[in-house]
Amino acid sequence: MHLDESGWVREARQIPSPNCDERETGVPELLVIHNISLPPYRYGGPAVEQLFTNHLDPEAHPFFGQLRDLRVSAHFFIRRNGQLLQFVPVHKRAWHAGASQWEGRERCNDFSIGVEMEGCDFEPFADAQYRMLEALAAELKSRLPLRAMTGHEHIAPGRKTDPGPWFDWVRARAEIGLPM
């Protein structure tokens, strides 16, 4: 895995998202893990990519109507088969965490890297996803001042539940070596 000077991982499928901006303050210190599936509980389709690039057709599925005006992104998306997609270079601020707080600091997007795992709160993640997350985190740690890893549910409690109870934090912490 190779993170280049422009902030893109060479091995990732690169799909630039307009839903990002310059980091006003902060450097990437925190790795935030999420889950996503669109439509809910369905995997493998193009809807996540379409959402992150503002091309999701709100008429394509009944659930998509409520996402019509949503402008979100993440730095990375890891599919069930381990495929890595990148939407935002790591030096830019992806719009993944929303209203959030970590160690007394608000606006976690300012100082975090967002990684979406294809999945939901109700079933385990695939081994291929953990392997890719481990490889990605190793490269990010070697190039960025990352010092912790957490879930969206931890920085936005009561508002978010991802990555959920099926995410194996013990495995992730052991393999990645970042504390919560």
Side-chain angles (χ1 to χ4, degrees):
M1 189 97 22
H2 301 91
L3 178 65
D4 68 25
E5 294 301 317
S6 63
W8 293 93
V9 171
R10 282 187 270 171
E11 293 80 3
R13 186 168 149 231
Q14 298 172 6
I15 308 166
S17 171
N19 303 329
C20 64
D21 55 10
E22 298 300 322
R23 292 183 192 272
E24 293 175 16
T25 59
V27 295
E29 299 174 52
L30 181 64
L31 192 63
V32 178
I33 309 299
H34 303 261
N35 79 43
I36 190 169
S37 58
L38 289 175
Y41 319 115
R42 291 198 201 153
Y43 308 135
V48 172
E49 295 171 42
Q50 293 168 350
L51 175 66
F52 288 173
T53 58
N54 302 335
H55 291 102
L56 184 65
D57 178 359
E59 307 301 321
H61 186 275
F63 182 79
F64 295 169
Q66 64 187 300
L67 306 176
R68 180 183 310 271
D69 297 318
L70 192 62
R71 298 294 176 254
V72 295
S73 63
H75 293 90
F76 299 97
F77 176 50
I78 302 175
R79 291 199 171 273
R80 305 289 291 177
N81 65 4
Q83 180 188 24
L84 181 65
L85 286 69
Q86 185 174 4
F87 295 92
V88 176
V90 299
H91 63 274
K92 289 199 172 193
R93 178 173 51 192
W95 302 345
H96 63 96
S100 53
Q101 183 177 340
W102 180 70
E103 292 188 343
R105 296 167 65 190
E106 295 188 8
R107 299 175 46 107
C108 292
N109 287 342
D110 290 346
F111 55 88
S112 67
I113 299 292
V115 179
E116 294 277 0
M117 304 281 282
E118 187 173 38
C120 67
D121 290 2
F122 306 108
E123 60 187 351
F125 294 89
D127 190 57
Q129 290 178 286
Y130 286 107
R131 287 193 309 271
M132 179 53 73
L133 178 61
E134 293 157 11
L136 174 63
E139 177 62 8
L140 294 176
K141 281 176 40 182
S142 76
R143 304 287 304 274
L144 301 172
L146 291 177
R147 61 185 185 92
M149 172 178 61
T150 194
H152 200 189
E153 64 193 308
H154 304 119
I155 61 172
R159 189 174 71 81
K160 294 296 181 177
T161 60
D162 59 309
W166 288 99
F167 186 78
D168 188 345
W169 285 107
V170 172
R171 175 183 178 171
R173 281 193 305 270
E175 295 295 326
I176 294 170
L178 286 173
M180 289 285 288

